[in-house]
Amino acid sequence: MEIKLPIALEQLISHLSKLPGIGKQTSMRYATELMKWNDADLAVLGDELAHLHERVHYCSVCGNYTDDGLCVICSSPQRDPSQICVVESPSQIAVFEQTNCYHGLYHVLGGKFSPLSGIGPEQLRCAQLSERLSEGVVKELILATSADVEGEATAHFLANEYRDKGISITRLAIGIAAGSDLTYAGASSVAQALSGRREI
């Protein structure tokens, strides 16, 4: 027989279970753990969640997370502006940064092609990428979309789109399993894929 929980706890469990990789049991464990927190800590967490979109937004250049106009990567004079690594989401930038072997800039597409879901170039940040490439500073475009069907289709589209721009277009090599999402790849795998990238 299933135990009936208070409505507020059920709603919290339901919200937590919407997070990726968290099922009903895990969300229940998290919710009951939060019940042990004192009111002050819960208030701080609630405030952070309530104002998350006000305090964190997207970099006006690359689309990374930032609390300022530019993210720390775009505003750093130590980064190499001649390289742009194209990723699907800001969370994937963190994976690349953990490798400590890439020192160029990034461009967040905001997803990948998915015709069945109505997502094409117009729904992604492709126009902003074209604008950055037109400045003539970039010499290498690294296509770091995931190794699944949609990610490969996105990479091939971008390669064809910018083939005549006079820049080197490369794709991540071995180290990333076929069909995998880069968000969950380990730093060592991404470092290996970066160092062995190939022309596309």
Side-chain angles (χ1 to χ4, degrees):
M1 183 173 123
E2 190 175 350
I3 298 173
K4 182 68 175 171
L5 296 171
I7 293 174
L9 203 54
E10 284 282 6
Q11 289 175 336
L12 178 57
I13 291 168
S14 176
H15 287 305
L16 291 171
S17 65
K18 293 175 183 176
L19 294 169
I22 300 197
K24 183 79 185 276
Q25 289 300 112
T26 303
S27 59
M28 183 181 292
R29 191 164 63 248
Y30 288 166
T32 53
E33 185 62 32
L34 286 170
M35 283 294 298
K36 300 175 188 175
W37 288 26
N38 61 48
D39 289 345
D41 288 340
L42 285 174
V44 170
L45 175 61
D47 181 69
E48 292 294 337
L49 291 173
H51 297 95
L52 184 62
H53 286 163
E54 295 173 25
R55 296 169 179 166
V56 180
H57 49 273
Y58 298 107
C59 174
S60 59
V61 173
C62 74
N64 189 16
Y65 295 133
T66 183
D67 54 7
D68 205 348
L70 292 180
C71 70
V72 293
I73 296 172
C74 284
S75 58
S76 171
Q78 275 78 47
R79 307 300 293 216
D80 180 1
S82 71
Q83 287 184 315
I84 288 184
C85 181
V86 179
V87 296
E88 297 161 11
S89 68
S91 57
Q92 292 174 342
I93 292 177
V95 179
F96 280 91
E97 288 300 289
Q98 288 169 13
T99 68
N100 291 317
C101 68
Y102 177 69
H103 307 289
L105 300 177
Y106 295 93
H107 187 84
V108 179
L109 286 175
K112 52 192 170 183
F113 289 4
S114 180
L116 294 177
S117 302
I119 300 175
E122 298 79 15
Q123 286 70 45
L124 302 178
R125 299 183 70 251
C126 294
Q128 292 88 335
L129 178 59
S130 296
E131 187 176 331
R132 293 179 73 183
L133 295 179
S134 69
E135 295 171 359
V137 177
V138 178
K139 293 183 173 62
E140 181 184 10
L141 188 67
I142 303 169
L143 302 178
T145 52
S146 296
D148 55 16
V149 174
E150 292 87 358
E152 289 292 339
T154 306
H156 282 289
F157 171 86
L158 295 175
N160 289 330
E161 185 77 4
Y162 304 122
R163 197 174 302 281
D164 299 327
K165 292 282 186 184
I167 59 175
S168 172
I169 301 176
T170 58
R171 180 85 170 112
L172 295 188
I174 57 171
I176 303 297
S180 64
D181 187 321
L182 277 171
T183 308
Y184 308 107
S188 60
S189 295
V190 172
Q192 186 181 10
L194 263 173
S195 63
R197 62 185 181 275
R198 53 183 167 75
E199 292 281 344
I200 185 171

